[in-house]
């Protein structure tokens, strides 16, 4: 196999990959061996017809497509490694020559990692962030634990209160007529949970056991049942039972039950320390996000569309995997939401752009500052991963390919670059930062043409539905996500031939 590289505009390239005629012949024979059992030729038992006989009947190119797909899948990753280019998109494959007895030639159009002209990245100004954990914060956190450990008790001597768990019968009417799906019997409902449409649960407060009452509500305009959307409805409701949460008493006994501490004072101190740690990490993530966005804004890069499309597909694929873990297929999700894969790809493009930009500027910072990952740091990360997956370290190393280990090293270097940026920020008062941004916008409005950045070109349409677009991560997590997979296997397609003898 040999490969030549033709550089194109906008960080694109065309790889011309040549595979020997001998390899092509082996692939054709393999395709014949794989498919002969499916082919019936008169005069031969199924699967016993010679290759030449099949080629005479169906054409000598009958096995070309399978052979080409086999070779492309095998040789494309080798070509990427051999050419030494930093490929950041899936390939667009085109077959140029496919004929028995001749070399097999195909091209792969790919995006290359675009150059980044870094702007200011040291001393970026961010608002001063104070980490303040109050007694009220601690009490709220402890109340969550009390609610978790609460027991429910039957209530018979009072009306419904907010937070109660009620059992009710209900039936809904629109314009005086009962509607489908509007009736329930012995339905359990926690008042204040937001499980019913807005206004329903609040009106149950004050209802007494056994007495029927009306709840008047209006269905939201975007309600899933079109025939009810925006309609006024009356529900006849009867409370059949009331249960209330009984919180455990806040004392040393409670502290010892829910923690490793013997006293309430020790438990409160531990809760406070954990809240400080959590808020510190949250503030660090916010600051990292702010500083990375500021560096992007001050840098120049032009993203190849193929790179953005590849990253968008990765985001949608990740979302599909999360759906599958929750027991839902992508097809089911699309059917329920009325969405399409093409629409989702378009919706997540801004997110794809943000991920790519963050990765590129952090890689550029790592290169400029000569940030590397030592063997000790890499080994430590592998140990953490082995513990997470409950696997022996040697076994984990055995399962990881060289490319996976290289990607992991790059991810660690990128995260170190993000940490470097955060360590070098300049904290300023929030008002000062806002004033600087306003002044900068005014200056940009006067300067024409304004300096173009990839960020400004691509931050357009946002995803319409938060569920259709995986939640936006902080810069720390964005930068360690898998970048556009240069070694992604090309999709099998019907081969297009430019120089093929029939």
């Amino acid at each position: 196999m040999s490969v030549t590289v033709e550089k194109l505009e906008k960080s694109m390239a065309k790889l011309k990959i040549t595979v020997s005629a001998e390899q092509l012949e082996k692939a054709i024979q393999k395709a014949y061996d794989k498919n002969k059992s499916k082919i019936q030729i008169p005069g031969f038992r199924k699967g016993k017809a010679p290759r030449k006989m099949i080629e005479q009947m169906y054409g000598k190119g009958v096995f070309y497509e399978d052979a080409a797909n086999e070779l492309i899948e095998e040789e494309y990753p080798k070509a990427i490694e051999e050419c030494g280019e930093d490929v950041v998109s899936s390939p667009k494959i085109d077959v140029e020559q496919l004929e028995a007895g001749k070399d097999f030639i195909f091209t792969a159009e790919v995006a290359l990692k675009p150059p980044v002209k870094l702007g200011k990245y040291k001393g970026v100004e961010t608002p001063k962030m104070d980490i303040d954990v109050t007694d009220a914060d601690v009490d709220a956190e402890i109340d969550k634990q009390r609610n978790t450990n609460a027991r429910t008790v039957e209530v018979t001597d009072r009306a419904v209160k907010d937070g109660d768990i009620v059992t009710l019968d209900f039936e809904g009417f629109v314009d005086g007529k009962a509607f489908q799906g509007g009736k329930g019997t012995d339905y359990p409902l926690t008042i204040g949970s937001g499980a019913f449409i807005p206004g329903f649960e609040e009106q149950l407060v004050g209802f007494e056991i056994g007495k029927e009452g009306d709840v008047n509500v209006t269905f939201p305009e975007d309600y899933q049942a079109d025939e009810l959307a925006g309609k006024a409805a009356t529900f006849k409701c009867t409370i059949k039972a009331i249960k209330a949460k009984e919180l455990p008493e806040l004392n040393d006994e409670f502290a010892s039950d829910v923690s490793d501490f013997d006293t309430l004072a020790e438990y409160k101190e531990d809760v406070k320390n954990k809240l400080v740690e959590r808020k510190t990490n949250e503030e660090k993530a916010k600051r990292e996000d702010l500083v990375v966005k500021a560096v992007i804004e001050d840098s120049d890069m032009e993203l190849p569309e193929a790179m953005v499309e590849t990253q968008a597909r990765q985001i949608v694929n990740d979302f599909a995997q999360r759906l599958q873990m929750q027991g839902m297929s992508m097809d089911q999700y699309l059917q329920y939401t009325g969405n399409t894969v093409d629409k989702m790809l378009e919706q997540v493009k801004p997110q794809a752009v943000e991920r790519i930009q963050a990765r590129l500027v952090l890689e550029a910072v790592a290169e400029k500052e000569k940030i590397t990952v030592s063997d000790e740091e890499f080994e430590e990360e592998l140990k953490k991963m082995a513990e997470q997956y409950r696997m022996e370290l040697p076994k984990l190393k055995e399962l990881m390919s060289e490319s996976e280990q290289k990607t992991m090293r790059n991810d660690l270097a990128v995260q170190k670059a993000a940490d470097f940026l955060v360590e070098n920020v300049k904290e300023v008062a929030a008002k000062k930062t806002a004033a600087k941004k306003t002044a900068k916008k005014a200056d940009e409005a006067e300067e024409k043409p304004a300096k173009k950045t990839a960020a400004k070109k691509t931050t357009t349409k946002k995803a319409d539905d938060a569920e259709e677009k995986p939640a936006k991560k902080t810069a720390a997590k964005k930068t360690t996500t898998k970048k556009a997979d240069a070694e992604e296997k090309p999709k099998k397609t019907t081969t297009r031939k430019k120089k093929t003898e029939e």
Side-chain angles (χ1 to χ4, degrees), residues 56 69 78 130 156 234 257 309 317 374 477 483 502:
Q56 283 176 5
N69 282 327
K78 296 177 187 176
D130 296 321
T156 57
T234 297
D257 285 342
E309 288 172 356
N317 289 340
S374 67
K477 293 181 181 175
K483 69 176 181 178
E502 292 299 337

Side-chain angles (χ1 to χ4, degrees), residues 1-5 75-85:
M1 185 271 294
S2 63
V3 57
T4 58
V5 180
E75 301 302 321
Y76 172 74
K78 296 177 187 176
I80 293 295
E81 189 173 346
E82 185 175 314
C83 75
E85 298 290 346

